[in-house]
């Protein structure tokens, strides 16, 4: 038997949200680009009025107005021109035209952005539809972002007097959400798509109008309004704060975020590294496809087109309503006249046992539970609440299994109403309320350097065969790793992390436009010392580009240790801000004890 799902209705509390303090009207648009469905929310900020997030509820070809999500599906013709998007791309007549004209259907295309470090042994290249020939992912993003923006523009212009749009259109603020596991490389590609779509110019001013936010943190902001709508949690029972878990079950990823919650004033801190697993609802569908191929092998329903059609029906209907391992599930197959008892098809319905269909969810459910256990190992506050959001969160079986598990842990799991709006609405709340004050490093970040050789250091002596003489004339050991921020450490938005660098050269002109690599370590060592030990766990997070020509003007020549010749050296720091939703960098050096700073650019490898 299924248990009653506890649902809260979103009821913003104007008394707790402050009026907008700006001097002029402003529009904020939040885009949630999902693997299977996408959504847009907006907020018109009026001076002196309490912000009220709204959703874009109308899309071309939608039919009945009122749905806040649109399919993330596109059709391109053979020349790479976009033909149909969203609801218009799922119409029966369009499917027929696409087959006739040889159009390329794109779905699940967001997974082309997936980071290399996320475990993906269960994903084959053929599982994700290929991009059209000569069409990079940034151009696909451009086309889809442009479409979403046009939908938002049309909806707002139809819903408000025209002067409202005219007064805000040239300075719109944008928020783009992404899975917890997406990092700088993915943000860089999304930003390029935004600029190619013409939403903002490729300038510093344009960049400042775009913010990124993890889906987990957006979900927290959404759920907190639900929480307060049902009554403030008991503070006396946990005076030092309590933990809350956000489980965003989406089409492509399962994202878990864990926060501590404090009151008076209300604030949240991330207390464990965010988790992200490629086990969203599309992978349940993928496993269902494999089951159907095996079950219908040798029947007249075993062709690729028939399997795809039956899989699609499972995805859109059967999957969400599976609720009991003891009861069979049925998938519509053609008309009522379809019968093939040998393959469990009767009166146009394919019968699958409850055990068969519930097993399709096992890997996803296991991924959530393992991720939760991993996060809980970092914290020392009691976890009292969990929220399940996202389109996959509407699955009855996923809910039942997770509700059962969390209840066994003494944790109350809730599923807010309108789970599809959680991320875009929460993104707007993030901008308005900004409740999260610190975030936790998901990996260990640092840099590779050469350490001055120490003949009393056992690790250095073990590497004596690699020592070499620096330009300054002393021995150094290569491949040393200097950590800037370790995994699991909290970083607030104001805190800066410094990485000292020491450059040498034969001439002062050796210091110009320079770069330094920031490395990321994702292995099991708590304190890695060398980049060639557990080398497979190291990767380049970003290349920081900066200009040292001003600093070089202050340098004077120094004598080498051996006394033969001179060299120039410069001590400087690369300063990284890790605590915000997007990393940023500066470079700093001192002249006569006074620090000078210069901007730096973080460039990510997208390969």
């Amino acid at each position: 038997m299924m248990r009653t799902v506890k649902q809260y209705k979103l009821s913003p509390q104007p008394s707790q949200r402050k009026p907008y303090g700006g001097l002029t009207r402003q529009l904020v648009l939040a885009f949630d680009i999902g693997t299977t469905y996408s959504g847009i929310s907006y907020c018109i900020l009026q001076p002196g009025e309490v912000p009220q997030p709204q959703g874009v509820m109308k899309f071309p070809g939608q039919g009945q107005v009122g749905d806040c999500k649109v399919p993330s599906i596109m059709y391109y013709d053979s020349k790479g021109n976009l033909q149909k998007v969203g609801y218009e791309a799922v119409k029966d007549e369009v499917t027929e035209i696409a087959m006739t004209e040889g159009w390329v259907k794109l779905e699940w295309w967001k997974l082309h952005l997936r980071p290399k470090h996320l475990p993906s042994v269960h994903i084959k290249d053929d599982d994700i539809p290929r991009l059209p020939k000569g069409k990079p992912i940034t151009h696909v993003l451009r086309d889809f972002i442009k479409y979403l923006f046009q939908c938002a523009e049309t909806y707002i212009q139809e819903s408000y007097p025209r002067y409202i749009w005219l007064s805000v259109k040239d300075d719109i603020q944008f928020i783009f959400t992404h899975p917890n596991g997406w990092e700088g490389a993915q943000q860089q590609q999304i930003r390029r798509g935004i600029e190619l779509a013409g939403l903002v110019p490729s300038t510093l001013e344009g960049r400042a109008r775009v913010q990124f936010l993890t889906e987990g943190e957006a979900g927290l902001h959404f759920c907190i309004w639900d929480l307060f709508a049902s009554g403030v949690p008991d503070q006396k029972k946990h005076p030092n704060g309590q933990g809350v878990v956000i489980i965003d079950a989406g089409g492509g990823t399962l994202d878990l975020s864990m926060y501590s919650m404090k009151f008076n004033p209300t604030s949240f801190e991330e207390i464990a590294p965010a988790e992200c697993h490629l086990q969203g609802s599309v992978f349940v569908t993928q496993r269902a496809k494999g089951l159907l191929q095996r079950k219908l092998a040798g029947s007249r329903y075993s062709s690729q087109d028939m399997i795809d059609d039956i899989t699609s029906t499972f995805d859109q209907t059967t999957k969400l309503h599976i609720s009991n391992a003891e009861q069979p599930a049925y998938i519509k197959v053609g008309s009522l006249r379809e019968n093939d008892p040998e393959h469990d098809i009767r009166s146009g319905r394919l019968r699958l046992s409850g055990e068969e269909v519930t097993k399709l969810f096992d890997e996803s459910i296991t991924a959530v539970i393992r991720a939760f256990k991993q996060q809980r190992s970092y914290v020392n506050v009691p976890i009292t609440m969990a929220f399940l959001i996202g389109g996959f969160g509407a699955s009855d079986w996923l809910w039942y299994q997770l509700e059962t598990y969390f209840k066994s842990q003494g944790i109350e799991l809730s599923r807010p109403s309108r789970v599809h709006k959680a991320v875009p609405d929460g993104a707007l709340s993030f901008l308005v309320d900004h409740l999260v004050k610190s975030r936790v490093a998901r990996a260990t970040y640092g840099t590779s350097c050469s350490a001055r050789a120490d003949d009393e250091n056992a690790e250095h002596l073990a590497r004596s065969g690699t020592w070499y003489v620096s330009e300054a004339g002393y021995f150094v050991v290569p491949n040393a790793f200097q950590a800037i921020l370790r995994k699991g450490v909290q970083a607030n938005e104001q805190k800066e992390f410094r990485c000292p660098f020491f450059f040498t050269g034969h001439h002062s002109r050796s210091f110009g436009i320079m770069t330094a690599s920031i490395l990321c370590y994702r292995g099991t060592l708590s304190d890695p010392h060398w980049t060639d030990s557990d080398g497979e766990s190291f990767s380049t997070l970003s290349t920081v580009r900066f200009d040292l020509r001003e600093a070089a003007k202050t340098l004077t020549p120094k004598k080498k240790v051996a006394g033969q010749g001179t060299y120039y050296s410069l001590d400087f720091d690369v300063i990284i801000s890790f605590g915000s939703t997007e990393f940023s960098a500066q470079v700093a050096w001192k002249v006569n004890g006074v620090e000078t700073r210069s901007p730096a650019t973080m460039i990510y490898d997208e390969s």
Side-chain angles (χ1 to χ4, degrees):
M1 292 291 292
M2 285 298 299
R3 301 180 186 181
T4 301
V5 176
K6 182 171 183 179
Q7 291 192 329
Y8 297 133
K9 289 188 176 180
L10 182 64
S11 177
Q13 305 294 300
S15 61
Q16 296 177 16
R17 179 172 281 161
K18 295 180 181 179
Y20 173 55
L23 300 178
T24 59
R25 181 187 299 119
Q26 192 166 44
L27 173 64
V28 184
L29 288 177
F31 291 78
D32 172 30
I33 300 176
T35 302
T36 53
Y37 288 93
S38 298
I40 319 162
S41 292
Y42 69 93
C43 189
I44 299 175
L45 301 175
Q46 300 276 18
E49 295 184 10
V50 174
Q52 294 289 346
Q54 306 289 336
V56 172
M57 309 292 283
K58 183 180 178 182
F59 299 92
Q62 185 177 15
Q64 183 178 356
V65 177
D67 199 347
C68 62
K69 57 187 176 64
V70 60
S72 303
I73 296 176
M74 295 183 281
Y75 273 108
Y76 286 90
D77 65 21
S78 59
K79 295 181 180 180
N81 299 313
L82 183 64
Q83 293 297 323
K84 297 293 179 182
V85 192
Y87 284 106
E88 292 186 324
V90 297
K91 290 186 174 182
D92 291 339
E93 59 268 30
V94 170
T95 303
E96 187 175 339
I97 294 172
M99 293 179 63
T100 304
E101 299 293 331
W103 292 354
V104 176
K105 182 181 181 181
L106 268 191
E107 55 183 345
W108 305 4
W109 50 268
K110 180 181 173 181
L111 295 177
H112 284 284
L113 282 167
R114 67 190 188 280
K116 293 179 180 178
H117 66 83
L118 292 181
S120 57
V121 294
H122 58 293
I123 307 174
K124 301 175 183 177
D125 289 340
D126 291 342
D127 293 334
I128 305 171
R130 295 182 181 180
L131 300 177
K133 188 175 181 180
K135 200 87 170 173
I137 187 62
T138 50
H139 286 194
V140 174
L141 279 164
R142 172 200 64 192
D143 294 341
F144 196 68
I145 290 170
K146 193 172 184 178
Y147 163 78
L148 290 179
F149 179 75
Q150 289 170 347
C151 293
E153 178 182 5
T154 300
Y155 185 80
I156 293 171
Q157 289 198 64
E158 290 179 354
S159 303
Y160 300 87
R162 183 168 173 76
Y163 74 87
I164 296 288
W165 177 259
L166 294 176
S167 67
V168 298
K169 68 181 182 66
D170 294 326
D171 192 32
I172 301 171
Q173 300 294 311
F174 297 94
I175 308 174
F176 281 78
T177 61
H178 58 74
N180 289 355
W182 271 215
E183 297 178 335
Q186 289 71 44
Q187 291 176 342
Q188 181 173 275
Q189 292 178 87
I190 296 170
R191 185 178 290 279
R192 188 175 303 120
I194 295 167
E195 294 172 355
L196 289 172
L199 271 61
V200 297
S202 301
T203 62
L204 289 176
E205 292 78 9
R207 290 179 61 87
R209 287 168 52 197
V210 176
Q211 293 190 60
F212 293 103
L213 183 67
T214 64
E215 292 167 2
E217 189 167 328
L220 170 75
H221 280 81
F222 176 87
C223 292
I224 288 313
W225 285 107
D226 271 6
L227 180 64
F228 283 119
S230 62
V232 177
D234 184 4
Q235 303 169 48
K236 295 180 181 179
K237 194 172 182 180
H238 304 287
N240 296 321
Q242 51 192 297
V244 57
V245 181
I246 307 298
I247 306 164
D248 182 9
T253 60
L254 297 172
D255 296 306
L256 273 76
S257 306
M258 188 173 286
Y259 300 90
S260 67
M261 176 171 55
K262 296 181 180 179
F263 301 95
N264 299 322
T266 302
S267 66
F268 293 82
E269 292 183 343
E270 191 175 37
I271 53 176
E275 291 278 336
C276 180
H277 295 267
L278 291 164
Q279 282 292 354
S281 65
V282 299
F283 299 105
V284 175
T285 302
Q286 180 191 60
R287 291 188 282 271
K289 184 176 182 177
L291 172 63
L292 292 170
Q293 287 172 331
R294 296 188 298 273
K295 195 171 185 70
L296 299 176
S299 74
R300 65 178 183 273
Y301 307 99
S302 62
S303 69
Q304 187 63 51
D305 288 344
M306 285 296 297
I307 293 294
D308 287 345
D309 186 56
I310 300 170
T311 302
S312 178
T313 301
F314 167 87
D315 182 65
Q316 296 171 26
T317 57
T318 311
K319 182 171 69 175
L320 289 178
H321 303 301
I322 296 167
S323 60
N324 195 321
E326 305 300 322
Q327 295 179 353
Y330 296 90
I331 309 174
K332 183 181 177 182
V333 179
S335 69
L336 291 174
R337 294 191 298 270
E338 298 292 341
N339 286 285
D340 187 347
E342 183 180 347
H343 294 91
D344 287 330
I345 297 176
R346 293 176 176 83
S347 300
R349 296 198 308 167
L350 169 63
R351 183 186 185 279
L352 300 174
S353 71
E355 183 181 3
E356 284 178 314
V357 291
T358 54
K359 277 186 176 180
L360 302 174
F361 291 77
D362 284 355
E363 291 182 46
S364 298
I365 293 165
T366 299
V368 172
I369 294 173
R370 284 179 178 171
F372 171 74
K373 289 179 177 179
Q374 176 68 20
Q375 287 186 318
R376 193 162 59 172
S377 68
Y378 280 88
V379 306
N380 54 15
V381 298
I383 308 300
T384 60
M385 293 175 289
F387 290 90
L388 178 62
I389 62 172
F392 191 18
S395 161
D396 290 337
W397 183 250
L398 179 68
W399 159 263
Y400 174 66
Q401 291 295 296
L402 293 181
E403 197 264 352
T404 300
Y405 170 75
F406 281 104
K407 186 175 182 179
S408 73
Q409 303 299 306
I411 299 169
E412 181 180 17
L413 179 67
S414 301
R415 180 164 58 175
S417 59
R418 297 187 295 168
V419 291
H420 291 289
K421 283 178 61 65
V423 171
D425 274 11
L428 289 176
S429 177
F430 155 79
L431 188 71
V432 173
D433 305 312
H434 210 79
L435 297 174
V436 178
K437 304 304 180 185
S438 65
R439 298 169 181 87
V440 172
R442 298 175 223 158
T444 294
Y445 305 104
T447 187
S448 177
C449 60
S450 294
R452 188 162 185 168
D454 179 359
D455 55 13
E456 294 184 359
N457 185 308
E459 288 189 0
H460 287 202
L461 290 173
R463 293 169 172 267
S464 59
T466 66
W467 293 10
Y468 67 93
V469 179
S470 70
E471 290 185 359
Y474 52 76
F475 283 104
V476 294
V477 190
N479 302 319
F481 178 69
Q482 182 169 357
I484 307 173
L485 176 64
R486 299 189 188 281
K487 181 178 180 179
V489 173
Q490 275 189 343
N492 65 44
E493 294 182 332
Q494 288 74 41
K495 188 171 183 179
E496 297 177 337
F497 294 83
R498 291 175 175 256
C499 184
F501 281 85
F502 176 73
F503 277 10
T504 60
H506 293 298
H507 308 282
S508 61
R509 60 178 178 273
S510 301
F511 305 88
I513 305 295
M514 308 190 76
T515 60
S517 294
I518 304 299
L519 302 183
C520 178
Y521 175 73
R522 303 184 193 277
T524 57
L525 298 176
S526 59
D527 186 21
H529 290 170
W530 307 97
T531 60
D532 55 358
S533 295
D534 194 17
E536 292 184 355
S537 296
F538 284 95
S539 61
T540 300
L541 171 74
S542 171
T543 299
V544 181
R545 187 174 183 269
F546 45 88
D547 189 346
L548 291 179
R549 286 175 293 189
E550 284 299 315
K553 294 177 182 179
T554 67
L555 300 180
T556 56
K558 299 178 180 180
K559 289 186 178 181
K560 293 186 176 182
V561 173
Q564 299 179 354
T566 61
Y567 70 100
Y568 290 81
S569 68
L570 176 64
D571 290 285
F572 64 94
D573 289 342
V574 171
I575 303 171
I576 309 290
S577 295
F578 290 102
S580 186
T581 57
E582 189 175 8
F583 294 170
S584 60
Q586 301 178 75
V587 63
W589 63 91
K590 288 186 177 180
V591 179
N592 298 324
V594 179
E595 183 173 272
T596 300
R597 293 193 177 194
S598 179
T601 302
M602 298 187 75
I603 304 169
Y604 298 90
D605 180 11
E606 299 173 5
S607 61

